[in-house]
Amino acid sequence: MPSKPKNRVGEVYGKLTVVRISERRTKSGNAFWWCRCDCGREREVPGDKLSHNTSRKKPVVSACLQCSRELQIESVTIKNDRDEVRRREEAQCNRRQLQGQVPDSWLRLPLTDAHARELGQVLFFRGTRCLRNHLAPYRINGGCLACAGQKPSA
Ligand SMILES: [Zn+2]
Ligand SMILES: [Zn+2]
C-alpha cells in the first residue's frame, strides 16, 4: 500500500477545485484527484500536475479538458502568460453569459487580441463593452467595430 497522500481537497488551480481523491494512482504511486472545473465538469488529474509553479518544465493542469481546449490555456504559446490566461478565462465567462443575446458568430470569434493573432484572424470578442458602451467584436490593432461604424459581418 502506498502511503496515504496529503489531503488536497479544496485546493484551487486555475479553474479547478480539488473535490475528492481518486482510486487511481500513477506508476510512481502518486494519487489522482478529481477536480471540478468552473464550468461544472470534472477532470481526474494526477497530483503532480496540480501545481502553481508554472516555471517548471512539466505541464500543469488548470481546467477541464473542454475548457483547456476552448481557452487553449495549455497551448505552448501562452504557457507562461498568466495574464493572457486570465483574459481568456474572463472572455469565456462573459461570453457564456451573452449566449442568445449576441450573434452566435461572435461567440465563435477568438477570445482576445492575442488569441486572434495566434489563429491568424482579425476579429475577437471578449464580451466586454467599449467606452461608448457598444457590445461588439473588436478588430486587432483597432477598436470596437460599432465605433468604427462597421457591421461585424462586413
Ligand atoms: Zn471546464
Ligand atoms: Zn464602440
Side-chain angles (χ1 to χ4, degrees):
M1 279 295 281
S3 59
K4 200 171 186 302
K6 173 173 156 278
N7 182 18
R8 299 180 67 174
V9 170
E11 292 180 8
V12 175
Y13 298 93
K15 291 161 75 72
L16 296 177
T17 304
V18 181
V19 288
R20 65 184 181 280
I21 193 164
S22 159
E23 294 297 312
R24 253 173 98 190
R25 297 292 178 270
T26 64
K27 285 198 183 71
S28 52
N30 287 318
F32 277 71
W33 295 86
W34 282 103
C35 300
R36 180 167 296 118
C37 182
D38 286 351
C39 72
R41 295 184 190 88
E42 291 196 344
R43 178 173 183 177
E44 199 179 20
V45 185
D48 60 352
K49 293 236 167 109
L50 293 170
S51 169
H52 293 299
N53 183 358
T54 54
S55 66
R56 37 177 232 174
K57 293 283 192 295
K58 269 191 175 177
V60 296
V61 169
S62 59
C64 73
L65 286 170
Q66 179 93 8
C67 288
S68 296
R69 214 173 299 127
E70 284 172 7
L71 300 169
Q72 302 192 340
I73 60 180
E74 287 167 28
S75 80
V76 176
T77 33
I78 60 159
K79 197 166 57 190
N80 293 315
D81 190 339
R82 308 296 294 174
D83 289 344
E84 177 63 13
V85 169
R86 211 183 46 241
R87 274 193 293 275
R88 290 185 194 192
E89 285 175 351
E90 279 169 9
Q92 192 71 35
C93 178
N94 291 339
R95 284 162 42 145
R96 254 198 305 272
Q97 288 163 12
L98 290 168
Q99 258 165 26
Q101 299 172 50
V102 299
D104 282 350
S105 59
W106 293 10
L107 301 175
R108 288 193 293 269
L109 290 172
L111 292 160
T112 64
D113 187 296
H115 192 197
R117 284 169 211 277
E118 243 173 67
L119 299 173
Q121 298 189 30
V122 292
L123 297 179
F124 61 97
F125 183 57
R126 291 178 66 180
T128 52
R129 288 178 184 275
C130 78
L131 292 174
R132 291 186 201 156
N133 209 31
H134 299 128
L135 190 59
Y138 276 61
R139 183 183 286 278
I140 57 174
N141 294 331
C144 146
L145 281 190
C147 285
Q150 291 174 304
K151 288 269 189 304
S153 56

